[in-house]
Amino acid sequence: MQSIGRLINFAQPFASILLGLSYFLPFYQSANGTVRYADEWGLFFWTIPVLVIIFKVSNRWLKAAVCFLSAIGGLLDLFLLTVLAAFKSTPLIGFHIARMSIIILVVSWLALIVISLSTPKDKN
């Protein structure tokens, strides 16, 4: 469990940085061949405050609840990106990096739920 926890502690900030960088990369190509960038920047930077909250929370049930809500938000964000890409002509590198980053974040949040709930309760 410790090695998985260390891997998650590395993967989450890395995926959040990639998600933020994907905003500045070409996101889709419209039907007339124009390369566009992401329209809504708020979709890309919401994970950074969530990571700060998750790393600072010590109560295992509260951490599991925050991770669960974050995973739901990530799945909603992934759904919105997929719907938006369906109406565009061709998703480009920014879209693919954003999708990969959100999938990594959701999987790591689900793993954090399992890790935090499987740790024994403090006797203090």
Side-chain angles (χ1 to χ4, degrees), residues 12 16 46-57 66 109:
Q12 283 186 335
S16 294
W46 65 273
T47 59
I48 295 169
V50 168
L51 288 179
V52 171
I53 292 170
I54 287 173
F55 287 133
K56 293 294 183 186
V57 171
V66 170
W109 287 328

Side-chain angles (χ1 to χ4, degrees), residues 35-68:
V35 173
R36 300 278 177 105
Y37 291 85
D39 298 328
E40 181 59 47
W41 64 269
L43 295 175
F44 300 91
F45 295 105
W46 65 273
T47 59
I48 295 169
V50 168
L51 288 179
V52 171
I53 292 170
I54 287 173
F55 287 133
K56 293 294 183 186
V57 171
S58 61
N59 184 331
R60 65 188 188 125
W61 287 102
L62 187 58
K63 182 180 263 189
V66 170
C67 288
F68 179 73

Side-chain angles (χ1 to χ4, degrees), residues 4-124:
I4 294 172
R6 275 191 236 135
L7 181 64
I8 290 173
N9 287 342
F10 172 74
Q12 283 186 335
F14 181 72
S16 294
I17 290 169
L18 280 180
L19 188 63
L21 286 177
S22 67
Y23 170 71
F24 300 103
L25 297 172
F27 213 73
Y28 64 89
Q29 185 175 4
S30 62
N32 61 3
T34 307
V35 173
R36 300 278 177 105
Y37 291 85
D39 298 328
E40 181 59 47
W41 64 269
L43 295 175
F44 300 91
F45 295 105
W46 65 273
T47 59
I48 295 169
V50 168
L51 288 179
V52 171
I53 292 170
I54 287 173
F55 287 133
K56 293 294 183 186
V57 171
S58 61
N59 184 331
R60 65 188 188 125
W61 287 102
L62 187 58
K63 182 180 263 189
V66 170
C67 288
F68 179 73
L69 292 175
S70 301
I72 296 284
L75 290 174
L76 180 65
D77 203 3
L78 187 62
F79 174 74
L80 288 173
L81 285 177
T82 305
V83 168
L84 288 175
F87 294 108
K88 310 301 181 197
S89 180
T90 308
L92 296 176
I93 186 78
F95 170 78
H96 296 297
I97 289 175
R99 185 176 63 182
M100 179 196 64
S101 300
I102 292 173
I103 290 171
I104 290 171
L105 285 168
V106 167
V107 168
S108 65
W109 287 328
L110 293 176
L112 272 178
I113 290 172
V114 171
I115 289 171
S116 65
L117 292 180
S118 67
T119 57
K121 184 178 178 183
D122 290 336
K123 300 285 184 185
N124 297 339

